[in-house]
Amino acid sequence: MSQSSGSNGLTYADAGVDIDAGNELVNRIKPLVKATSRPGADSDIGGFGGLFDLKGAGFTDPILVAANDGVGTKLKIAIETGQHRTVGIDLVAMCVNDLVVQGAEPLFFLDYFATGALDVETASDVVAGIADGCKLAGAALIGGETAEMPGMYVEGDYDLAGFSVGAVERGAILPRKDVATGDVLLGLTSSGVHSNGFSMVRKIIELAGLTWSDAAPFAAGNTLGETLMEPTKIYVKPLLSALKATTGIKALAHITGGGLPENLPRVLPDNSSARIDLSAINAPAVFKWLADTGGVAEKEMLRTFNCGIGMVVVVAENEADEITRVLQSEGEQVVRIGGIEAAGSAPVEFEGSLGFSA
């Protein structure tokens, strides 16, 4: 029998799995993980499971809320451009933004990183971004898994998944049951494309004959790759502050894949519709460029991308101004985009236009 390692016999490294690289990665990320420590978690890694103390986090009668997600084909841009740091923020954002819409405070996060052959530098950058995202969300990074699977991925490729758990006191779960006609819709602006619709983005770039290193036509001084890798905004801390400081927030909707038409109805009662004035939304230049360059109709843009609004806050009309003030004081750009009406012909009805020429 032929063996590639001489008299010492076949090793796991001969099969494509480098245990030493995995150990080096763990040592590199330990201080990153430790930096995400928060009440309830000491953020040490190395055990078989992560621990979290709900009582230590200050909860009295909590309901746990769990979410998991990935980054989608935005990962292809990260891999092709070598920009790996910010996709970790995207990964956290896609999970924790889904927790806060139910009124929950994100408590901890776990990640899954899978690749064919472990590149310690790449994996370290990704985990550093995950730690950045956890700090932005106030969540502890208490564990994860790095899977090296030769033959499953082509050279240089990797995949990510994230898992997060939050908690909300029993009486504070969103959406509330009193969402009603007359309530106001406040939109929190997005940082760009976020992490949805990148299959269409990549198709438009291909049809336009451009590369990631080309200058971005909609962002002077930046390349396409740099601009499109802008990470998903994490809305957790401003929203938790507004929830604590006011009483008028009735529902929240994270605007991800499916856009406003698919995500907003998930938090509305059956007897209501949302009416949105598109002319109130100042869509970032990237969306106009995508629509015009790809010949994408406004309706298709709205059901594919966030189009400039990453989170919608449903509020009582008499508290809309105060909630706006609190969110603005936390650094959010807030736009009054519409309101709740009696059920109409569609769960979300639009008026006005985003101003795309397609």
Side-chain angles (χ1 to χ4, degrees), residues 116-322:
L118 181 61
D119 182 294
V120 175
E121 294 295 334
T122 296
S124 296
D125 277 352
V126 171
V127 177
I130 292 171
D132 290 341
C134 285
K135 285 185 282 186
L136 289 169
L141 179 56
I142 65 169
E145 171 69 7
T146 302
E148 192 173 16
M149 299 185 288
M152 285 290 290
Y153 299 89
V154 301
E155 184 178 356
D157 269 3
Y158 61 88
D159 199 8
L160 289 175
F163 310 84
S164 192
V165 172
V168 54
E169 295 291 358
R170 191 175 299 272
I173 298 172
L174 297 179
R176 286 171 17 187
K177 297 184 184 302
D178 61 343
V179 174
T181 298
D183 288 342
V184 170
L185 300 176
L186 302 177
L188 306 187
T189 60
S190 67
S191 57
V193 183
H194 283 184
S195 298
N196 299 102
F198 273 89
S199 293
M200 182 177 285
V201 170
R202 290 167 53 243
K203 186 66 175 178
I204 292 170
I205 300 295
E206 177 189 340
L207 292 173
L210 298 172
T211 68
W212 304 125
S213 60
D214 287 329
F218 48 85
N222 293 313
T223 67
L224 274 169
E226 290 168 344
T227 307
L228 290 168
M229 286 303 295
E230 179 71 26
T232 305
K233 186 185 285 189
I234 293 176
Y235 297 96
V236 170
K237 289 183 178 179
L239 287 172
L240 290 177
S241 293
L243 284 165
K244 290 175 183 176
T246 67
T247 60
I249 296 178
K250 297 185 177 184
L252 299 167
H254 185 200
I255 308 305
T256 56
L260 289 162
E262 299 294 332
N263 288 288
L264 191 47
R266 297 166 67 180
V267 300
L268 301 180
D270 292 338
N271 63 347
S272 68
S273 288
R275 179 168 293 278
I276 294 177
D277 178 7
L278 294 176
S279 64
I281 300 172
N282 184 20
V286 59
F287 295 111
K288 178 173 174 54
W289 183 84
L290 288 168
D292 294 350
T293 304
V296 185
E298 185 174 86
K299 181 178 180 180
E300 188 67 16
M301 290 292 295
L302 284 165
R303 66 194 296 261
T304 304
F305 301 108
N306 65 66
C307 290
I309 299 297
M311 184 73 69
V312 174
V313 189
V314 184
V315 304
E317 185 175 21
N318 64 345
E319 292 198 49
D321 290 343
E322 175 61 13

Side-chain angles (χ1 to χ4, degrees), residues 6 41 56 60 112-113 115 145 176 206 221 231 234 290 325 332 337:
T60 303
Y112 176 79
F113 178 98
T115 187
E145 171 69 7
R176 286 171 17 187
E206 177 189 340
I234 293 176
L290 288 168
R325 186 195 65 77
E332 289 299 325
I337 61 172

Side-chain angles (χ1 to χ4, degrees), residues 328-340:
Q328 288 174 335
S329 72
E330 293 288 329
E332 289 299 325
Q333 296 181 52
V334 185
V335 183
R336 187 163 176 159
I337 61 172
I340 303 299

